[in-house]
Amino acid sequence: MPDHPRQVMGRAVVLGGSMAGLLAARVLSDHADEVVIIERDDIGAAGGVEARPGVPQGAHVHALLPSGQLQLERWFPGFADDAVAAGALVPDHSAVRHYVNGTLRRYANDLTIRGRALSTTRPFLEGLVRARVARIPNVQIVRGRAAGLVMTGGRVSGVRYHPGAADPAPDTPSDTDRADETLTEPADLVVDAMGRSSRLGDWLTEHGLPTPPMRRMPIKLTYATALFRRDPQISDIDVAFSQTLPAPGRAARIGGITAVEGDRWIMLVAGYGDDRPSRDPADFTTRCRRDFPAVFGDLAENGERISDVVTYHQADSRRRDFHAFDRLPAGLIAVGDAVASFNPVYGQGMAAAALHASALSAYLRRDPRLDEPATDYFTAIRVVIDAAWQISTTADLALPHIDGPYPPGYRLLAGIADLIFMTSADDRELNRRLSMVTTMLAHPNSLAQPGVLLRAARARMRRRVPATS
Ligand SMILES: Cc1cc2nc3c(=O)[nH]c(=O)nc-3n(C[C@H](O)[C@H](O)[C@H](O)COP(=O)(O)OP(=O)(O)OC[C@H]3O[C@@H](n4cnc5c(N)ncnc54)[C@H](O)[C@@H]3O)c2cc1C
């Protein structure tokens, strides 16, 4: 719970009611008389447990990093207990496997580093957060498609939106009619939580402003995912994570299995560049058996598949550098993927969104002047974004199809990351340190401390661990 809630505005309008928007709304409910979430999908109060059109990645494996879980607990006390009561799985650490190049690591990346982890599908998790937010008396969820900003005297003073369904079905004529209608929602603060494809930049241009500077790294990643009935006859696995690192003659690949609510496993296989898994179940099974540790093939061949194979292609990691945007108008902030969206294999997105919400809370508790740009907020979230970006892009720059941009000191960073990653497989303390960073509980620079480097160097000499295996 926030320490000192402070009422600083009449009305906040949040565009997008997914993880980042819901968390921002929770924070804003302490500081605004009224919070309105405008979401184009029909999310209702209780919410569905299926992936929805506005969040197409929701059908794929989503791990909630411990830092994200801590934040959820902060904003919704008792969240983990409620989640477990509703069916979320708590993985047993002994049933977690981490494979690198087909070999089982002695120590797995530790999602349980702060206690129990929660394992669920993404729609289920989002549904739990939405149900909590919907119970807050001064938060209202409105269905509609946001279409532009209203600006008064150089500051953002509201939004324009089309009420009703985003893509009305033929049998809903009233929604179809309303899609032509444009309404205005006045606001003291507008929050962009519309995800990585947010059109906020275009909307600013309509008002004669430039777009926030954007950086991209082309990752060309394709996921294929399917759900399976959990079956102890096939495997006792709760979580499996497989990384194949790029090497001459070896393609980089990622695979994941997590046990989730409803006595199911969700399993993904992913490839880069032209190595694109398809929706063809036969291709999925072949890849599971051929390219991943045995448990993947066992599930695919012997398990009962209870969903179609679905795919998702993410062309790039991208960040909008609002902290460097010198024409930022007052009355506007952005959260979640609308600010930065990373390579999803590192599982950072939801935790980053939760940390943005915390930064928003800290900003609002300082009683900011809302007639000035929210520069302090964007400066604060830059720390989170830089850290997540560093983890994701340092690893991605090792992929053969990615040729930059290389950050200053890249070779040193990559060398340290490689050393710690390899030696931590057999060193509990190094694995703990690395897990703190990969789960976003510690800054990546903590791995460059002399004591950590010395320990890793010794471990490497002792075990003759090659730099890359
Ligand atoms: C394949 C894949 C796997 C991933 N795995 C993980 C993982 O393991 N762990 C993790 O933490 N993260 C993961 N992520 C990242 C995670 O999905 C995102 O970081 C997270 O969803 C960001 O939430 P968000 O609310 O910012 O944006 P989104 O979830 O993208 O939501 C945007 C919302 O805005 C709404 N919207 C858009 N435009 C409008 C409009 N004009 N008007 C009204 N509403 C609008 C949409 O309907 C949607 O509800 C993964 C991503 C992908 C692609």
Side-chain angles (χ1 to χ4, degrees):
M1 292 290 275
D3 308 321
H4 303 293
R6 198 187 276 268
Q7 218 68 11
V8 294
M9 70 189 96
R11 174 187 289 207
V13 174
V14 180
L15 308 178
S18 180
M19 289 302 277
L22 291 167
L23 285 160
R26 164 65 192 87
V27 166
L28 286 161
S29 69
D30 286 334
H31 303 278
D33 296 335
E34 244 186 302
V35 182
V36 179
I37 300 174
I38 300 179
E39 164 57 50
R40 65 184 178 188
D41 279 350
D42 180 13
I43 55 176
V49 288
E50 302 297 329
R52 55 190 177 82
V55 185
Q57 75 272 29
H60 297 271
V61 169
H62 267 66
L64 174 64
L65 298 185
S67 47
Q69 194 177 320
L70 280 178
Q71 293 300 325
L72 286 181
E73 202 63 41
R74 173 183 182 198
W75 296 110
F76 308 109
F79 184 87
D81 287 341
D82 282 2
V84 172
L89 202 105
V90 177
D92 181 346
H93 196 56
S94 67
V96 175
R97 310 267 186 280
H98 184 170
Y99 301 89
V100 177
N101 299 331
T103 303
L104 186 64
R105 270 173 70 108
R106 180 163 170 216
Y107 296 116
N109 182 27
D110 193 358
L111 288 174
T112 62
I113 198 156
R114 276 286 181 268
R116 64 184 171 170
L118 296 177
S119 181
T120 68
T121 60
R122 161 65 193 258
F124 181 88
L125 182 71
E126 191 184 305
L128 292 173
V129 175
R130 184 164 55 236
R132 285 290 197 113
V133 171
R135 272 188 248 149
I136 304 172
N138 62 339
V139 176
Q140 189 193 350
I141 299 176
V142 170
R143 189 172 186 196
R145 183 167 62 80
L149 297 172
V150 179
M151 294 194 64
T152 312
R155 85 181 301 284
V156 175
S157 58
V159 297
R160 289 186 294 109
Y161 74 102
H162 304 300
D167 299 305
D171 57 351
T172 53
S174 58
D175 277 337
T176 310
D177 291 340
R178 299 200 75 199
D180 293 335
E181 196 182 336
T182 304
L183 301 181
T184 297
E185 193 74 51
D188 299 302
L189 186 69
V190 169
V191 180
D192 176 7
M194 291 180 288
R196 60 185 264 117
S197 305
S198 164
R199 294 193 51 232
L200 181 79
D202 297 342
W203 298 353
L204 291 170
T205 310
E206 285 165 12
H207 290 277
L209 290 167
T211 56
M214 164 129 53
R215 276 190 259 174
R216 295 175 195 254
M217 177 171 287
I219 56 168
K220 298 182 191 150
L221 171 72
T222 307
Y223 267 47
T225 298
L227 285 161
F228 290 82
R229 181 95 48 220
R230 226 169 137 201
D231 182 350
Q233 305 274 338
I234 297 174
S235 174
D236 62 354
I237 215 139
D238 280 351
V239 176
F241 181 52
S242 166
Q243 286 169 282
T244 308
L245 306 176
R250 187 174 68 197
R253 293 197 176 96
I254 301 292
I257 302 170
T258 56
V260 294
E261 79 281 355
D263 219 14
R264 298 171 296 171
W265 281 303
I266 185 167
M267 177 159 74
L268 83 91
V269 293
Y272 289 98
D274 296 334
D275 180 28
R276 291 177 77 137
S278 71
R279 301 173 66 163
D280 174 8
D283 174 56
F284 187 80
T285 304
T286 302
R287 283 173 179 272
C288 287
R289 178 56 77 203
R290 188 191 61 201
D291 302 332
F292 293 93
V295 62
F296 287 77
D298 294 348
L299 254 71
E301 285 172 5
N302 307 323
E304 183 191 352
R305 184 166 56 79
I306 50 174
S307 76
D308 289 338
V309 177
V310 290
T311 56
Y312 186 94
H313 180 73
Q314 184 164 314
D316 57 29
S317 295
R318 59 176 71 163
R319 56 183 287 177
R320 296 178 173 93
D321 283 335
F322 285 92
H323 66 272
F325 185 33
D326 53 11
R327 302 285 303 280
L328 178 70
L332 180 68
I333 67 150
V335 289
D337 278 18
V339 190
S341 127
F342 317 96
N343 181 337
V345 304
Y346 307 106
Q348 299 165 315
M350 298 189 296
L355 291 165
H356 296 176
S358 253
L360 177 60
S361 165
Y363 168 71
L364 293 172
R365 271 182 284 135
R366 284 196 300 269
D367 203 7
R369 291 195 53 166
L370 293 183
D371 55 354
E372 291 178 359
T375 313
D376 288 352
Y377 163 75
F378 285 112
T379 303
I381 61 167
R382 181 188 176 180
V383 179
V384 175
I385 295 165
D386 282 350
W389 186 259
Q390 183 178 329
I391 294 168
S392 132
T393 59
T394 303
D396 288 349
L397 280 165
L399 298 168
H401 68 285
I402 298 183
D403 57 4
Y406 291 90
Y410 167 69
R411 286 201 177 284
L412 182 64
L413 285 175
I416 292 174
D418 192 35
L419 173 69
I420 307 280
F421 180 67
M422 288 307 172
T423 52
S424 63
D426 297 303
D427 184 305
R428 187 192 294 270
E429 173 57 16
L430 288 174
N431 189 59
R432 189 188 69 76
R433 295 264 184 172
L434 180 63
S435 296
M436 289 289 286
V437 170
T438 54
T439 59
M440 294 178 75
L441 290 165
H443 194 277
N445 290 353
S446 62
L447 297 178
Q449 286 169 7
V452 181
L453 291 178
L454 195 63
R455 187 179 180 107
R458 285 196 183 125
R460 182 162 160 196
M461 278 162 57
R462 223 175 22 247
R463 288 159 198 161
R464 297 180 194 285
V465 178
T468 311
S469 58

